[in-house]
Amino acid sequence: MLLQTLKNSQITDNEISELMISQEKVAHVQSNNPLDHALLVLIKSGYTSIPVLDKQYKVQGQVGKAQILDSILGMERIEMERLHEYFVSDVMTEKVPRMKKDETFGKALMLSINHPFVCIEDNDGAFLGIMTRRSILALIHRHLEKI
Ligand code: AMP
């Protein structure tokens, strides 16, 4: 019953801004960045995977440590010296979970089953931030505590 209510409910503007990590705090790269820069951002931020944005701050996809390391995997070792030969666009995936700010909580919940974060966009496709699986679970927990 509660889950049904949550599923159909709109995420209110308040909840979105409370739960969303806003764009300026999201570690990201651009598709024309060299791979060594992307790996540096990933290692420094400690995240497995981060959004790829274009110059207009629109979401293009995501890139992760595994994809980068896979691209420089030699027969016997990881060939770190080849990192600068590639760009983010060579290894990124365009598959990224995304939703509009005013879509239902059910969609965020559904997307978070298979993805650790969901990109939130405005109606023109501009990147607003991310909601993580952690924040979605926290919202459910908060609603459950109110029962
Ligand atoms: P967390 O729930 O904090 O473990 O975050 C889940 C995933 O969301 C991380 O593995 C990252 O892929 C992504 N993520 C969380 N916070 C950020 C951030 N500030 N910048 C970029 N990606 C993030």
Side-chain angles (χ1 to χ4, degrees):
M1 183 66 184
L2 169 88
L3 287 179
Q4 192 61 37
T5 312
L6 280 173
K7 187 172 182 293
N8 295 330
S9 71
Q10 297 291 118
I11 306 173
T12 65
D13 277 356
N14 272 350
E15 279 170 329
I16 279 272
S17 46
E18 209 178 301
L19 296 181
M20 190 175 74
I21 299 171
S22 59
Q23 166 253 108
E24 66 275 8
K25 291 186 188 144
V26 176
H28 69 274
V29 288
Q30 296 192 343
S31 57
N32 60 354
N33 288 155
L35 271 198
D36 47 2
H37 171 75
L39 189 58
L40 196 78
V41 175
L42 282 159
I43 291 172
K44 280 276 181 197
S45 65
Y47 298 121
T48 311
S49 164
I50 52 176
V52 179
L53 305 179
D54 68 14
K55 286 200 175 83
Q56 284 74 42
Y57 267 74
K58 293 198 170 170
V59 179
Q60 286 193 306
Q62 60 177 314
V63 67
K65 286 174 192 154
Q67 292 157 298
I68 294 179
L69 294 179
D70 191 51
S71 73
I72 54 167
L73 202 59
M75 293 298 277
E76 288 171 1
R77 63 182 184 89
I78 296 175
E79 298 167 351
M80 294 301 273
E81 67 278 8
R82 285 172 50 213
L83 263 186
H84 72 275
E85 292 173 13
Y86 298 104
F87 294 92
V88 169
S89 54
D90 295 323
V91 304
M92 61 177 267
T93 171
E94 287 176 6
K95 279 190 205 150
V96 63
R98 52 175 84 198
M99 60 182 281
K100 302 278 185 237
K101 191 182 165 187
D102 53 7
E103 285 185 287
T104 63
F105 181 74
K107 181 159 182 182
L109 186 57
M110 190 262 292
L111 289 171
S112 75
I113 293 171
N114 289 320
H115 305 280
F117 69 89
V118 178
C119 292
I120 310 290
E121 300 169 314
D122 71 11
N123 287 331
D124 298 322
F127 179 60
L128 297 175
I130 59 171
M131 278 181 81
T132 63
R133 188 185 283 153
R134 184 201 301 264
S135 64
I136 290 166
L137 286 173
L139 180 68
I140 294 174
H141 181 253
R142 201 161 69 211
H143 281 266
L144 282 172
E145 276 198 321
K146 282 188 208 151
I147 300 177

